[in-house]
């Protein structure tokens, strides 16, 4: 990198932001929802998985908490390599690396990633991720009941 590029990156590291995360429910609501390793691949990769051939019914099964993680991984595994290098999957892989210490979601680690998520998913989740990690000073949410 040039000196200018290095300087710009250093300056950007110190920037804070204001983010309009309208899709986020209030934290206390989010913490009551089901989550597991596949949650990382639910929102952002939905459409790219459909482009890879996944149908809506199978997508819903992949995120059905009544099915075993193993059965759901069988579905995910069929599409993982087809979406891996897409823009939407980038956010999931960044989160997987940053918060769970994994480069990929594999048959060997989906249960441990889920266990680590359970440790992180507690009050203070948004502060930890959005404010402390992403340096977002304020998150504007479009909530009916923000309490």
């Amino acid at each position: 990198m040039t000196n200018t590029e290095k300087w710009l990156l250093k300056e950007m590291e110190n920037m804070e932001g204001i983010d309009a995360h309208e899709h986020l429910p209030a934290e206390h609501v989010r913490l009551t929802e089901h989550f597991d390793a596949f949650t990382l691949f639910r929102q952002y990769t939905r459409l790219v998985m459909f482009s890879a051939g996944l149908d809506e019914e199978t997508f819903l099964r992949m995120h059905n908490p009544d099915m075993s993680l193993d059965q759901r991984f069988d579905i995910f595994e069929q599409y993982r390599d087809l979406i891996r290098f897409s823009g939407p999957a980038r956010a999931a892989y960044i989160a997987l690396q940053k918060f769970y210490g994994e480069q990929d979601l594999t048959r060997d680690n989906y249960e441990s990633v889920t266990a680590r998520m359970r440790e992180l998913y507690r009050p203070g989740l948004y502060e930890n991720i959005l404010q402390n990690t992403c340096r977002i000073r304020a998150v504007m949410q479009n909530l009916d009941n923000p309490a």
Side-chain angles (χ1 to χ4, degrees):
M1 276 195 269
T2 68
N3 287 337
T4 301
E5 290 169 327
K6 290 176 188 174
W7 177 83
L8 283 170
L9 284 175
K10 183 158 180 54
E11 290 300 310
M12 284 188 259
E13 287 176 0
N14 296 319
M15 290 181 177
E16 293 180 329
I18 296 175
D19 196 325
H21 262 84
E22 297 92 0
H23 66 277
L24 284 179
E27 182 182 85
H28 73 276
V29 172
R30 177 69 188 112
L31 294 175
T32 65
E33 296 175 348
H34 177 80
F35 59 88
D36 55 44
F38 305 108
T39 302
L40 294 171
F41 294 89
R42 184 171 55 212
Q43 183 175 359
Y44 296 116
T45 63
R46 180 183 178 126
L47 294 178
V48 74
M49 285 187 143
F50 291 161
S51 295
L54 182 70
D55 60 84
E56 177 79 20
E57 180 185 330
T58 307
F59 180 84
L60 292 173
R61 284 193 359 257
M62 185 174 75
H63 295 289
N64 180 350
D66 294 330
M67 289 178 59
S68 73
L69 286 175
D70 192 52
Q71 291 171 308
R72 295 165 53 216
F73 185 81
D74 288 342
I75 297 169
F76 174 76
E77 189 174 40
Q78 296 173 52
Y79 298 93
R80 180 188 53 207
D81 290 342
L82 297 172
I83 67 162
R84 177 186 312 279
F85 300 109
S86 67
R90 182 167 162 69
Y93 280 102
I94 288 171
L96 190 61
Q97 292 166 7
K98 181 129 187 111
F99 298 108
Y100 310 109
E102 299 290 351
Q103 299 298 311
D104 200 356
L105 190 62
T106 67
R107 189 165 299 282
D108 293 332
N109 70 10
Y110 66 84
E111 289 176 333
S112 64
V113 168
T114 296
R116 281 182 250 156
M117 289 179 87
R118 291 193 175 124
E119 294 169 9
L120 184 66
Y121 273 53
R122 61 180 180 270
L125 172 69
Y126 285 4
E127 179 181 359
N128 179 39
I129 293 176
L130 300 175
Q131 293 175 334
N132 298 342
T133 302
C134 297
R135 300 184 49 79
I136 297 171
R137 179 180 299 263
V139 177
M140 308 301 197
Q141 291 177 291
N142 207 1
L143 304 172
D144 291 335
N145 182 7

